[in-house]
Amino acid sequence: MNILYQRIYNQFSIIAPLDLTQQLEQIQIDKEYITNIIVIVGTHECKKKTHHLRINDQMLLKIEKDSTKPPITDLSFYYLDVHEQKLKLNNDLNICTIQEDDSKWHYQNGNLDFTYDLSKVFGYQSNHKTALILCYKTDPMQDPWSDLILIQKNQVTPEGFYKLPQSIQNNYLAYSLANTYHSVKYQYEITDSYPQNNDKPEVAMFCFPNGISLYRNNQFPKYNHYILTSETGERTYCTALIFCEQNLQGFHEMAIVLSSHYCYSEQSLELLKNLYQIYIAKNVLPLERYICNIVDEIVLPQDPTETYIYNGSKQIFFYQSNCFPLCSNQAFQCLFAMLNKKNIVLLYFALLYEKKIQLISSKPVISSLVIEALLTLLYPFEFTHILISSLPEDLEQYLEAPLPYLIGINKKQAEKYPDAIQVFLDSNNIKQSQPIDVPEDIFDKFVLKLKEFDKYYNPQLIDTIGDAFPMPREDDIEMIDQYQVREVFLRFNIFLLNDYKKFIDKQNFKEKLFLKSKQKIKQFLEPFMETRLFNFFIQERMQLSQNDSQLEYFDDCLKNPKGDHFTLPVQIFKDYLQPNDEGFKKEKHFQYCTFPLKLNDQFFSKPRLEFLKHENPFSVHLFPKTQIDILRFELSHIYKQWFRCLVYKIEEGKIELMDLVKYSIHLLKEMKQNNLYIDSDIFKNAMIACAHYKMNDLALQFIQQMRELGYQKQIQIYQYYFQTQQNNKKQKNIQKNTQQTGNLSSGSLSNRQAEYKFYLDAKCPRCGRRYVIEDILASFVKDHLECKSNGTLGCNNTFDAQLYFNDEVHYLKKPSKVEKGNKVNNMFYFYLIGLPYKFIKNQSDDDIVYSSKKIPIYIDYGDFYTDENDDCNINYIQKVVHEVFGMFLERMKDIISKQELPKGKHQRRVSDLSD
């Protein structure tokens, strides 16, 4: 028996500028920059020169632009020492000259080469030992300035301007960059990936949230981590190695990225660094062999006792734990280096209270690492709100969301959207626009527990965080032990939740009794129990605990709250496979001038391991290849629409549909029996329907079905159940119509209304010949029916079948093209496969009639089939239809055979249309 492995990495991607040559040609370069700033002092002069930049009533700045002098790249006030009437000036500083006509502004101890002490301009007393001087820098490696403005303290920085950090009497100077090849941000694209069928544009968007930069000189490689979250809540952890390649205007950024559903960020970085070192050196194997070795043959350890080793330039270790989530050590090193213990605790409580939190840093990787550490510290809670590691400009609307979020942003975005808890990571500062009401005794005790970690606070590390190959340091940095930190936070969470299981009675949690038992921390616990974080945890424990190993381990921790909870069993070490060298000679070497934007398919090798099928069961098969796949795909859409319509009608609140919700679990099992595609949308709507009628047991049955299908993210789908219940609690009394849908047995499906005003016309409008229902189903392979000829039959016409409803014509669309609001099409398809459909009808609506009389018409299916079967005959597609829809066709024929026309009425049936 072969062992089935599971890949750690989903994809390797290459990201580079999108058509860089064309982008460079479209840039309008500024020809003049700011090259000099002259200070004008004196009340008389300041009143006259109103068109200059006014600092206050006694000081103006005159801005001069030129194209021949070095441009200004920085401006600031400095207190410079004065020794023997001379200023001690650093080599990189240039003094702004002063123009004045009032002798009282002369520096008291001498002219000092036309420079003046500006202390009196701001009302300061000069001490004759230092002078307040305005200085500028001209760094050729920085971008030049094109304009300079003065803004007020609380004013939002205008678009295109950057605020200088130094305050000038509650005002700030702000500059705009001149348009140069090096100040513009460039668009990006994924040039290639492995495997190629899984490209995600967001991988590139969040790798370069501000666009790709172009530098004058080459830059050292750096890295970035970021997390992508799907609609179902599934997280993808991405690690990017960013480096520069040369072009005609300098050096542009590009990146190589590894994506995984598992948090192995440190290991991913080491793999990318190893690949980069292979790229810049000679090797006997091409890059493609190393890439497919990483993606195809680095597999998830099968057991917590196993550690797998990847042997590259250094050994890289992979292990897993069923007891607690894994996290990189560098994430905790970054968190405790950038924030002191008080701010870490304050940030943690803001997370528990589900506040809107912005993490602000000049480096996106710092925000990403802090987020990774915070999510780990929440264990056993799970953050299910908006989560973005580094926010691109195109997604800034997320900062206006009324819901809680945890988002990494830059300073400019923070100025535009201040309505949140703003954590300035670079300066160890937290700005609270929303109060974080934590009881003082709880806060102080928590902070005290982190006292031993004070030694890791080191803001100077900001200069090296993000460097892929950091320079050796003279002083050794003591590395933090993440598990010691996590132990402190876990014990606090144990303190909060101790004995919670005693208050779970079947499917109910006795909130009031639990709160009563926690009188000492009631002030903190009461608002915390209203959060989704807490309630989602309780719902998990009531519904999903039997198979959730990490939450079961937390319950074990409650039994021994002061124990050592973060231990790994004795490890057995195994080596991963080395890259496949088959077909390459050792004397041949591969060397690259630039990193390839396109990979060579001929250099890849087949995986030497057998993998689990359907690693991501939520993925919908949007591109079925064979006819049988297409028809199954369309059939599954009929079921999918039924679940959507069910929720739509429930939320209308006009009809009681509890019986249909109970019946829905049988439809799901029917889909499984017929090997139909079941995607997350069906489970999502099932959860919402169950929540409306508080059917906890039925919801658990759907969750169990998800498990049996191998779905890994039941938690994120289950949150729809919780969210719907929360929304229902907030709604006012809703009037309910007690109209019942009746018995859902097969007998009720055959006992239909008898007024036949609703019928199907599957007749060719050109030649009048009619299709049978099997032909309509076969037309799903293409978008239309085709009346193809064979001898004397057929007219080669392409047309759509028509549904007549109360004298209105509706074109029959294939199921995957039907929206939930298209009642007529949905009624027909629900009727066709025997699904209860009267709940989407009005009381006056009539039933569908389809004639059992078949008028044969020949269709040439020769160019339809795509299966690898050379022996396919012209009846192949009909056989496929019967294989997929056979059970439903028999059911429909049985229903039609029981229909009778009411006596005394003459109504047109489908078969009558041939008259």
Side-chain angles (χ1 to χ4, degrees):
M1 178 180 177
N2 293 331
I3 298 177
L4 294 180
Y5 295 97
Q6 190 164 353
R7 293 178 175 92
I8 288 181
Y9 294 104
N10 308 335
Q11 189 177 45
F12 170 85
S13 306
I14 303 171
I15 306 173
L18 172 64
D19 197 352
L20 182 59
T21 302
Q22 182 178 355
Q23 290 192 67
L24 290 171
E25 291 175 353
Q26 295 174 350
I27 296 175
Q28 300 293 328
I29 302 299
D30 289 339
K31 297 181 179 180
E32 291 187 341
Y33 322 121
I34 297 178
T35 57
N36 189 26
I37 296 177
I38 299 174
V39 181
I40 302 177
V41 295
T43 306
H44 180 68
E45 286 291 324
C46 288
K47 287 183 178 179
K48 290 194 304 182
K49 307 287 186 179
T50 55
H51 59 281
H52 292 322
L53 186 61
R54 181 181 296 276
I55 302 300
N56 57 27
D57 291 338
Q58 299 171 341
M59 180 179 174
L60 297 174
L61 296 183
K62 179 181 178 181
I63 299 172
E64 295 183 346
K65 294 185 177 182
D66 199 344
S67 60
T68 59
K69 298 178 181 178
I72 288 178
T73 58
D74 192 15
L75 182 69
S76 185
F77 287 93
Y78 294 87
Y79 274 108
L80 301 180
D81 292 334
V82 178
H83 181 65
E84 295 181 355
Q85 297 189 5
K86 292 184 179 180
L87 295 173
K88 293 183 177 180
L89 193 65
N90 294 335
N91 293 332
D92 61 339
L93 293 180
N94 299 279
I95 298 176
C96 296
T97 56
I98 292 180
Q99 293 180 358
E100 52 85 32
D101 63 346
D102 192 339
S103 61
K104 72 177 181 179
W105 295 106
H106 279 274
Y107 185 67
Q108 294 180 358
N109 292 336
N111 197 332
L112 296 181
D113 299 326
F114 301 102
T115 61
Y116 300 87
D117 183 5
L118 299 176
S119 298
K120 290 186 178 181
V121 175
F122 299 105
Y124 304 142
Q125 185 67 36
S126 176
N127 59 8
H128 308 297
K129 294 181 179 180
T130 59
L132 181 63
I133 307 296
L134 183 63
C135 299
Y136 64 87
K137 295 181 181 180
T138 57
D139 186 350
M141 303 309 300
Q142 300 297 323
D143 296 319
W145 295 358
S146 65
D147 201 0
L148 195 66
I149 62 174
L150 191 71
I151 61 176
Q152 297 178 357
K153 181 179 181 179
N154 297 322
Q155 179 182 347
V156 176
T157 307
E159 187 70 26
F161 282 83
Y162 303 88
K163 186 169 68 175
L164 290 172
Q166 195 174 53
S167 172
I168 307 175
Q169 295 182 326
N170 291 325
N171 294 324
Y172 290 88
L173 289 171
Y175 64 92
S176 63
L177 294 176
N179 267 350
T180 68
Y181 293 119
H182 308 98
S183 62
V184 175
K185 298 297 183 181
Y186 295 87
Q187 297 179 10
Y188 42 74
E189 65 173 341
I190 299 177
T191 62
D192 208 348
S193 60
Y194 179 82
Q196 292 182 326
N197 60 349
N198 194 28
D199 284 345
K200 293 183 178 180
E202 57 268 27
V203 171
M205 179 190 299
F206 289 95
C207 179
F208 295 104
N210 302 316
I212 284 181
S213 298
L214 182 65
Y215 299 99
R216 292 175 175 82
N217 288 339
N218 199 357
Q219 305 291 305
F220 287 110
K222 54 187 178 182
Y223 66 87
N224 190 14
H225 300 301
Y226 50 100
I227 303 173
L228 307 178
T229 308
S230 70
E231 293 180 354
T232 62
E234 186 176 47
R235 290 173 184 163
T236 299
Y237 299 88
C238 299
T239 299
L241 182 70
I242 303 169
F243 53 94
C244 288
E245 296 285 16
Q246 190 169 10
N247 60 69
L248 295 177
Q249 298 298 334
F251 295 83
H252 67 263
E253 292 179 314
M254 67 172 295
I256 50 178
V257 183
L258 279 174
S259 306
S260 174
H261 290 309
Y262 306 96
C263 185
Y264 286 110
S265 53
E266 276 182 322
Q267 291 88 338
S268 302
L269 176 58
E270 292 301 326
L271 288 171
L272 292 173
K273 288 165 62 176
N274 182 70
L275 196 62
Y276 179 79
Q277 290 171 324
I278 292 170
Y279 148 62
I280 61 177
K282 287 184 178 181
N283 282 279
V284 295
L285 295 177
L287 284 170
E288 287 80 357
R289 284 296 169 95
Y290 294 95
I291 292 170
C292 65
N293 176 237
I294 292 172
V295 176
D296 291 336
E297 295 172 345
I298 292 185
V299 296
L300 194 67
Q302 300 292 303
D303 192 273
T305 63
E306 296 177 347
T307 292
Y308 278 80
I309 303 174
Y310 183 88
N311 293 290
S313 57
K314 60 184 293 187
Q315 289 187 325
I316 307 171
F317 297 89
F318 290 83
Y319 58 91
Q320 68 161 325
S321 172
N322 293 332
C323 299
F324 45 82
L326 298 178
C327 182
S328 66
N329 216 58
Q330 62 182 186
F332 283 88
Q333 194 79 37
C334 178
L335 174 63
F336 279 81
M338 305 309 297
L339 296 177
N340 61 28
K341 58 181 182 293
K342 286 188 177 182
N343 281 337
I344 291 174
V345 173
L346 190 63
L347 175 56
Y348 184 71
F349 279 118
L351 204 57
L352 290 181
Y353 279 149
E354 294 186 337
K355 301 293 185 180
K356 296 196 291 185
I357 303 173
Q358 300 171 357
L359 301 178
I360 301 109
S361 177
S362 56
K363 293 185 174 182
V365 68
I366 293 179
S367 300
S368 300
L369 289 171
V370 169
I371 286 176
E372 183 182 331
L374 290 173
L375 295 178
T376 308
L377 291 176
L378 281 176
Y379 172 75
F381 304 113
E382 184 172 358
F383 188 82
T384 57
H385 296 287
I386 299 172
L387 174 66
I388 302 176
S389 300
S390 184
L391 186 69
E393 292 181 1
D394 294 340
L395 301 180
E396 287 184 355
Q397 67 270 19
Y398 279 100
L399 297 174
E400 298 178 322
L403 302 173
Y405 59 66
L406 179 60
I407 301 179
I409 61 175
N410 57 43
K411 290 183 179 179
K412 196 165 186 179
Q413 292 168 329
E415 292 177 7
K416 292 170 64 176
Y417 303 94
D419 185 23
I421 304 295
Q422 294 187 319
V423 184
F424 294 89
L425 297 171
D426 297 357
S427 57
N428 182 35
N429 182 36
I430 296 182
K431 179 182 176 183
Q432 300 183 45
S433 61
Q434 305 172 4
I436 308 173
D437 298 325
V438 185
E440 189 174 345
D441 57 336
I442 294 178
F443 183 85
D444 293 340
K445 289 180 180 179
F446 204 150
V447 171
L448 189 62
K449 295 288 186 182
L450 296 177
K451 185 178 181 180
E452 62 178 299
F453 304 106
D454 282 343
K455 57 185 176 182
Y456 300 108
Y457 177 64
N458 186 2
Q460 295 180 354
L461 283 182
I462 189 175
D463 297 330
T464 58
I465 294 175
D467 293 346
F469 301 94
M471 300 295 291
R473 294 174 59 95
E474 296 181 358
D475 57 325
D476 293 331
I477 300 175
E478 185 176 357
M479 300 304 295
I480 197 170
D481 184 349
Q482 63 161 302
Y483 295 111
Q484 290 183 4
V485 178
R486 294 172 66 174
E487 190 70 64
V488 174
F489 284 82
L490 178 60
R491 290 182 181 181
F492 176 76
N493 293 339
I494 290 173
F495 169 68
L496 293 180
L497 298 173
N498 191 30
D499 295 331
Y500 81 94
K501 296 191 74 174
K502 294 180 180 179
F503 302 92
I504 295 178
D505 181 18
K506 296 181 179 179
Q507 301 300 320
N508 294 313
F509 180 67
K510 301 176 181 178
E511 297 180 4
K512 294 182 179 179
L513 291 178
F514 176 72
L515 188 61
K516 187 177 180 180
S517 69
K518 303 281 187 180
Q519 288 297 321
K520 293 183 179 180
I521 58 172
K522 181 180 179 180
Q523 184 183 352
F524 166 78
L525 202 57
E526 197 166 17
F528 176 59
M529 289 175 61
E530 296 178 0
T531 64
R532 185 195 294 183
L533 207 69
F534 176 82
N535 284 279
F536 191 52
F537 168 79
I538 296 298
Q539 293 290 342
E540 285 181 298
R541 301 315 293 133
M542 289 193 297
Q543 303 289 341
L544 304 172
S545 60
Q546 62 268 27
N547 288 324
D548 198 323
S549 60
Q550 290 191 359
L551 293 180
E552 286 183 348
Y553 179 73
F554 176 75
D555 288 345
D556 291 338
C557 294
L558 295 177
K559 302 172 185 178
N560 184 20
K562 295 185 179 180
D564 187 4
H565 303 112
F566 292 96
T567 58
L568 291 173
V570 177
Q571 297 292 294
I572 300 173
F573 294 94
K574 299 181 180 181
D575 289 332
Y576 284 120
L577 293 174
Q578 291 291 306
N580 191 346
D581 60 359
E582 183 180 352
F584 292 99
K585 298 179 180 180
K586 292 184 178 180
E587 58 270 15
K588 184 179 179 180
H589 289 82
F590 290 86
Q591 190 170 13
Y592 302 88
C593 297
T594 60
F595 199 96
L597 299 181
K598 294 289 184 180
L599 301 172
N600 190 332
D601 293 341
Q602 297 179 354
F603 289 157
F604 289 110
S605 61
K606 293 183 178 180
R608 292 170 287 181
L609 300 172
E610 188 174 356
F611 295 96
L612 288 171
K613 297 180 180 180
H614 308 302
E615 290 181 7
N616 184 5
F618 278 146
S619 61
V620 182
H621 297 259
L622 295 177
F623 304 103
K625 296 181 180 179
T626 64
Q627 291 173 339
I628 196 166
D629 286 340
I630 293 173
L631 294 180
R632 280 180 178 153
F633 179 67
E634 295 296 333
L635 179 56
S636 68
H637 263 277
I638 300 177
Y639 285 91
K640 186 175 180 178
Q641 281 295 87
W642 188 88
F643 278 91
R644 286 178 174 175
C645 291
L646 177 66
V647 170
Y648 177 71
K649 285 296 180 179
I650 289 174
E651 292 178 343
E652 273 189 346
K654 296 180 180 179
I655 185 171
E656 176 67 52
L657 295 173
M658 186 180 295
D659 289 340
L660 275 184
V661 178
K662 294 178 181 178
Y663 180 69
S664 63
I665 189 68
H666 302 291
L667 296 184
L668 185 75
K669 294 177 180 178
E670 188 176 273
M671 293 184 71
K672 289 176 60 178
Q673 292 173 359
N674 287 276
N675 196 25
L676 300 180
Y677 305 128
I678 305 175
D679 70 0
S680 61
D681 192 72
I682 289 176
F683 286 109
K684 166 188 169 181
N685 286 301
M687 288 293 104
I688 294 174
C690 291
H692 273 283
Y693 297 112
K694 299 181 180 179
M695 296 180 175
N696 292 351
D697 293 338
L698 185 61
L700 184 58
Q701 291 184 49
F702 277 104
I703 293 295
Q704 185 61 36
Q705 292 294 322
M706 295 171 70
R707 286 189 180 139
E708 292 177 6
L709 291 171
Y711 292 179
Q712 298 175 355
K713 288 291 179 181
Q714 303 99 347
I715 303 298
Q716 282 70 28
I717 292 298
Y718 189 69
Q719 79 181 45
Y720 289 105
Y721 179 86
F722 169 75
Q723 186 175 359
T724 303
Q725 281 196 332
Q726 291 293 99
N727 293 340
N728 288 343
K729 287 180 181 179
K730 297 178 181 179
Q731 291 179 355
K732 297 181 179 179
N733 295 330
I734 300 176
Q735 295 181 353
K736 295 184 178 180
N737 189 345
T738 57
Q739 179 182 357
Q740 300 294 326
T741 59
N743 189 2
L744 299 175
S745 64
S746 59
S748 68
L749 291 174
S750 62
N751 186 20
R752 298 180 179 273
Q753 300 279 343
E755 300 199 9
Y756 302 128
K757 295 180 181 179
F758 181 38
Y759 59 89
L760 173 70
D761 182 8
K763 179 180 66 175
C764 175
R766 178 181 294 174
C767 67
R769 289 180 170 82
R770 192 173 312 283
Y771 281 81
V772 297
I773 191 64
E774 287 90 340
D775 296 323
I776 294 173
L777 298 177
S779 72
F780 292 165
V781 174
K782 292 192 174 182
D783 289 336
H784 307 282
L785 287 162
E786 296 185 7
C787 186
K788 292 200 172 183
S789 61
N790 180 27
T792 59
L793 296 177
C795 63
N796 292 321
N797 186 30
T798 299
F799 66 96
D800 295 310
Q802 295 177 333
L803 284 170
Y804 286 84
F805 179 71
N806 290 341
D807 297 326
E808 295 181 356
V809 179
H810 301 264
Y811 289 101
L812 184 66
K813 299 179 181 180
K814 60 196 299 186
S816 60
K817 302 291 185 182
V818 179
E819 301 295 334
K820 68 179 180 183
N822 192 331
K823 180 175 70 174
V824 176
N825 271 264
N826 281 321
M827 287 171 60
F828 170 75
Y829 284 123
F830 296 165
Y831 168 89
L832 175 66
I833 67 173
L835 299 181
Y837 72 93
K838 292 186 179 182
F839 69 95
I840 67 169
K841 293 166 72 264
N842 298 325
Q843 290 183 349
S844 60
D845 291 346
D846 301 317
D847 281 323
I848 300 170
V849 175
Y850 188 79
S851 173
S852 58
K853 180 180 178 181
K854 297 184 179 181
I855 302 176
I857 182 170
Y858 175 77
I859 306 177
D860 182 8
Y861 295 107
D863 60 344
F864 275 23
Y865 69 90
T866 58
D867 300 81
E868 296 179 0
N869 185 356
D870 295 334
D871 297 327
C872 288
N873 54 41
I874 60 174
N875 294 320
Y876 173 76
I877 189 71
Q878 289 99 329
K879 293 180 180 179
V880 171
V881 168
H882 279 280
E883 180 175 345
V884 177
F885 286 90
M887 181 187 75
F888 307 103
L889 289 171
E890 292 301 320
R891 180 191 295 171
M892 186 193 68
K893 291 175 183 177
D894 181 64
I895 293 171
I896 291 174
S897 66
K898 297 179 181 178
Q899 290 181 340
E900 296 180 358
L901 284 171
K903 295 181 180 180
K905 291 187 178 181
H906 176 71
Q907 302 290 346
R908 299 181 69 192
R909 295 185 298 171
V910 175
S911 57
D912 299 329
L913 294 177
S914 59
D915 298 338

